[in-house]
Each structure stands twice: as C-alpha cells, then as structure tokens.
Amino acid sequence: MPPHHTTAPGRGAPGNGKGVLLIAAALCTVILTVTGILITVLPGPPAQDGHRLPELARGHGIELGVAVAVNPLVNDRRYRNVIEDHYTSVTAENTMKWQHVQPERGEYDWSGPDTLVDFATARDLNVRGHTMLWHNQQPAWLSQGDWDADTLRAVVHDHVTTVMDRYEGRVTSWDVINEPLEDHGPNMRENLWYDVLGPDYIAQTLYSAHAADPEARLYINEFGIERAGPKADALHALVTDLVDRGVPLHGVGFQGHFVHGNVPDDLADQMRRYTDLGLEVTISEVDVRIPEPVTGEDLADQRREYHDILVACLEVDGCVNVTVWGVTDAHSWIPEWFPGYTAALPFDDSYRPKPALAGMVEALSRRPRPRTAATRA
Ligand code: G3I
C-alpha cells in the first residue's frame, strides 16, 4: 500500500480535513471564551503595564497625580511621556510657590505656572495648585519684610486673589495652607503668618481663596499626620474648629513622605477622621525613600508599600487623589534633603518603571466599588 494511504496517529483521513479544522476552531472558541470569562471574573495576575494606570484610576473615581518640575517638562520628552502615559493630574512641585510666582513685590512671573497649566489643559490632566502660604520658598522681600498686620493681610489677600483669578477653572484645587503645624509636634508653626497675623491667618486666607474662586477645592496640606499621634490629633482639632465655624475648607492633604519599612498601617483610619467631617482627602506628596545601598529586596518591599498606600485611598470614601512627589528618582528632592536615602519614586533614574509602579497597577486593578463623595460644598 502506498504510504499516502496510511493514517498516522492523531491525523484524520485526508477526506476529513475540513471537519477537523472546524472542530479545532470550535474548541479554540470555547477555550478562549472560558479564559475570557475567567479573566473577567477572577482577579488575574497584576498587570505590569503602567500605561493602564490612568484608565484604572478613573475607574475608581480617583485621580493619580505626579509633582512636576517645569525645566524637565520643557526640555525632556521622556519626562513628558511618563506624565502623559501614567497620570491623570499634576501638581506644581515648585513653580507656583510664592518665591517663584511673585519674586518681587507686585511683580508676578507666570512663565512656569502657565507652562505647566497649558501642558495639563492640552492633555486633559487635572491641575492641583501648590501652594499659597508656606514658611519655605518665600521671596526675600516677603520673609525679611517688617510687616504690620494690616499690610501683611492685604499682601496675602492680593497674592491669593491674583494667582487664583488667573487660573480660575483650570486649577481646580489649591493647597492654600501648607504645613501649619511645627515639624514634630502638636503646636502651630510660628511662621511669618502666625507671628504677624495670629492663628486666624488660616481662616482669613481660606476666605480670600474662596472669594477668588468659589469653585476651587481648598486644602490644608500637612505631613506627620499619616499615623496616630499628637500632631495628627492637633491637625484634626484645628480642622474641626474651622469646619465648625463654617470656614471654606474642603480637604486635607496627607503628604505621605515615607521611609521604606515604616509606612503607617493606619493611614486609612486617619483619613476617615476627616471624611467623617464631610471633607475630602488626598495623599498629596507620596514617596518612599530607601537607605543606600538599595537591594532588590528593598524594591520588592517598596512595591508592596506603594500598593498599600493606593489601597488606603481606595478604601476611604472621599479620598480623591494620590500624587507621587516627582517623575523619576533623578528628579526627586530626597537625595538632596536626606543624604544616604534614594530610590523613592516609581521610576528609576533612567525612566525605567520600578516594581513600585507594578504595585500601583496591582492596587488599582481591584474591582472598583461605589464610592461616596465628600459632603462639604
Ligand atoms: O531655584 C534654585 C535654582 O535657581 C538653582 O539653580 C538650583 C540649584 O540647586 O536650586 C533651585 O532651588 C531648588 C528649589 O527646590 C527650586 O524651587 C532648591 O535647591 C531645592 O532645595 C528646592 O527643593 C524643593 C523643596 O520643596 C523646598 O523646600 C523641592 O524641589 C520640592 O520637592 C519640595 O517640596 C516640598 C513641598 O512643596 C511641601 N512638602 C514638602 C516637600 C518636600 O520638601
């Protein structure tokens, strides 16, 4: 018998080729359908692709933001790509601070803020304004001025009004007050505003901001309140008093500058203390710094830490934004301010995604649940 009449194991007779193909196609369809169902129903392995972050964040009704510096924004395409591909909001890392915006009395420099706001507007990214009153990064004419209360109050009012007017409708939230408490304690920080205007400078400035842009969400932004303790309690008391008095305040930013291995596990509880008051909250300046030398194990742990920070926000109704404080490790403030620490952000010095980015993807890959918005108008 000629060899071509032989039916080899596993092969159909030549006359049945079409039928076998049909069966195979049907089998494939079944397998693909079942796999599709399983992928939809079961929590699949975490996606590594950070490009999904904007879509995932929007699915949860939160913003995922990044602090942006103007110089690399203008000069480095890779820097712009990371922002465009991974985030839904931007915060001005420095360029909207008083030192940069009003470097001389009455002389405003809009070049940096305009660049950032135009970039964001063109890409449908939300802009968070940072910051009005802060004890750092003040111009010399302000910090070294010999102020009486009425004059300083007018200077503050003019600054807040001028800046917020310019970006009304384009900058939707402002850190009006930054770090009102002393670094490590429960007392109010004795800054210029406190010394000259007294503790009510906070309420007065919030009223000025609300008058300038009634739609803007107005925030107090603070660090060291992310875990239970005297400073957390002090800020809560301060904010409760403002809310009770009807002062226009809409949110509290938890900065979230964390040290690897020491990320608080009660962050969500602390945020709920403010959402219980009807306020919204953000985790506004996230980074997780690692002591050198950085090991692979450190980066793997950091992945879990970024994951847990994101999850804390997702678990709190009224947590509206998580912002990482810088685009890559090359742009982070950490090495300059904390010598011996580094690698605090989700992208490394060479713009490569780190495990932390996958941790964020994993956290946001949870099934979205219905969330209740803050109640304070
Ligand atoms: O502007 C000068 C520039 O002229 C000079 O060429 C350059 C040389 O190093 O320095 C520039 O100043 C830098 C400034 O940022 C830019 O505005 C300073 O060196 C640098 O120390 C400064 O650091 C910023 C820091 O605030 C100031 O306190 C960081 O970039 C910024 O990330 C950091 O952000 C703060 C938040 O606003 C509030 N929460 C804490 C957070 C970290 O400190």
Side-chain angles (χ1 to χ4, degrees):
M1 214 182 262
H4 67 270
H5 286 166
T6 309
T7 304
R11 282 196 193 156
N16 290 339
K18 222 173 180 177
V20 167
L21 279 177
L22 282 175
I23 291 168
L27 213 59
C28 281
T29 309
V30 170
I31 289 169
L32 285 174
T33 308
V34 170
T35 312
I37 290 169
L38 285 176
I39 285 171
T40 314
V41 171
L42 299 175
Q48 305 299 312
D49 186 2
H51 290 67
R52 294 177 55 219
L53 283 170
E55 175 199 335
L56 292 173
R58 289 191 178 105
H60 286 278
I62 70 166
E63 295 166 355
L64 190 62
V66 60
V68 172
V70 172
N71 187 31
L73 183 72
V74 170
N75 294 311
D76 192 337
R77 187 181 47 75
R78 294 174 304 167
Y79 189 90
R80 293 192 294 277
N81 287 347
V82 169
I83 300 167
E84 290 167 352
D85 291 347
H86 300 89
Y87 298 104
T88 67
S89 80
V90 292
T91 301
E93 184 177 5
N94 287 301
T95 196
M96 289 184 178
K97 291 172 182 171
W98 200 314
Q99 175 189 44
H100 296 284
V101 172
Q102 197 184 168
E104 299 297 336
R105 189 171 179 181
E107 291 178 19
Y108 289 83
D109 179 356
W110 302 116
S111 55
D114 278 1
T115 300
L116 177 60
V117 172
D118 289 348
F119 170 85
T121 307
R123 289 156 183 82
D124 207 18
L125 301 170
N126 197 17
V127 187
R128 303 186 71 86
H130 176 84
T131 175
M132 292 297 180
L133 298 198
W134 193 28
H135 60 279
N136 273 340
Q137 289 177 290
Q138 298 175 358
W141 68 266
L142 180 66
S143 61
Q144 292 165 23
D146 182 17
W147 302 105
D148 63 72
D150 284 347
T151 313
L152 184 62
R153 197 174 293 117
V155 163
V156 168
H157 180 79
D158 285 351
H159 181 83
V160 167
T161 305
T162 305
V163 176
M164 289 187 65
D165 268 358
R166 185 174 183 89
Y167 297 111
E168 187 172 359
R170 292 195 293 161
V171 176
T172 53
S173 66
W174 279 96
D175 292 335
V176 178
I177 306 294
N178 200 36
E179 303 172 6
L181 301 183
E182 62 187 5
D183 278 2
H184 302 294
N187 299 317
M188 285 193 72
R189 186 184 294 277
E190 294 183 5
N191 55 23
L192 172 66
W193 335 106
Y194 181 91
D195 290 345
V196 179
L197 304 175
D200 215 37
Y201 81 87
I202 293 178
Q204 290 166 11
T205 310
L206 286 164
Y207 277 115
S208 292
H210 189 56
D213 182 355
E215 298 299 317
R217 309 299 283 170
L218 307 181
Y219 275 72
I220 293 179
N221 191 45
E222 185 55 282
F223 71 89
I225 58 165
E226 297 87 350
R227 69 177 82 236
K231 187 168 179 178
D233 289 346
L235 190 79
H236 190 259
L238 189 155
V239 166
T240 303
D241 175 59
L242 293 169
V243 169
D244 287 348
R245 288 161 55 198
V247 175
L249 172 70
H250 307 102
V252 171
F254 287 66
Q255 290 190 5
H257 295 293
F258 298 124
V259 181
H260 170 53
N262 196 22
V263 175
D265 55 14
D266 57 342
L267 177 56
D269 293 338
Q270 294 305 317
M271 291 194 288
R272 274 193 207 97
R273 296 173 79 192
Y274 294 94
T275 57
D276 285 349
L277 298 174
L279 299 176
E280 58 193 39
V281 292
T282 64
I283 313 177
S284 54
E285 303 185 13
V286 175
D287 46 31
V288 182
R289 60 184 180 270
I290 300 176
E292 293 173 310
V294 177
T295 66
E297 195 180 339
D298 290 332
L299 294 177
D301 288 345
Q302 191 190 47
R303 169 187 169 132
R304 183 180 39 75
E305 291 170 326
Y306 267 87
H307 169 273
D308 293 351
I309 292 164
L310 261 289
V311 166
C313 179
L314 297 181
E315 286 180 345
V316 177
D317 285 356
C319 180
V320 297
N321 180 296
V322 178
T323 287
V324 298
W325 203 243
V327 171
T328 78
D329 288 336
H331 305 94
S332 168
W333 70 300
I334 291 298
E336 179 189 346
W337 289 73
F338 295 96
Y341 285 84
T342 187
L345 293 170
F347 287 84
D348 72 11
D349 287 346
S350 305
Y351 293 83
R352 285 184 301 244
K354 291 158 59 183
L357 194 78
M360 290 164 62
V361 175
E362 183 184 350
L364 291 174
S365 296
R366 291 177 151 213
R367 185 193 302 280
R369 61 176 184 79
R371 294 158 57 83
T372 315
T375 50
R376 203 148 200 263

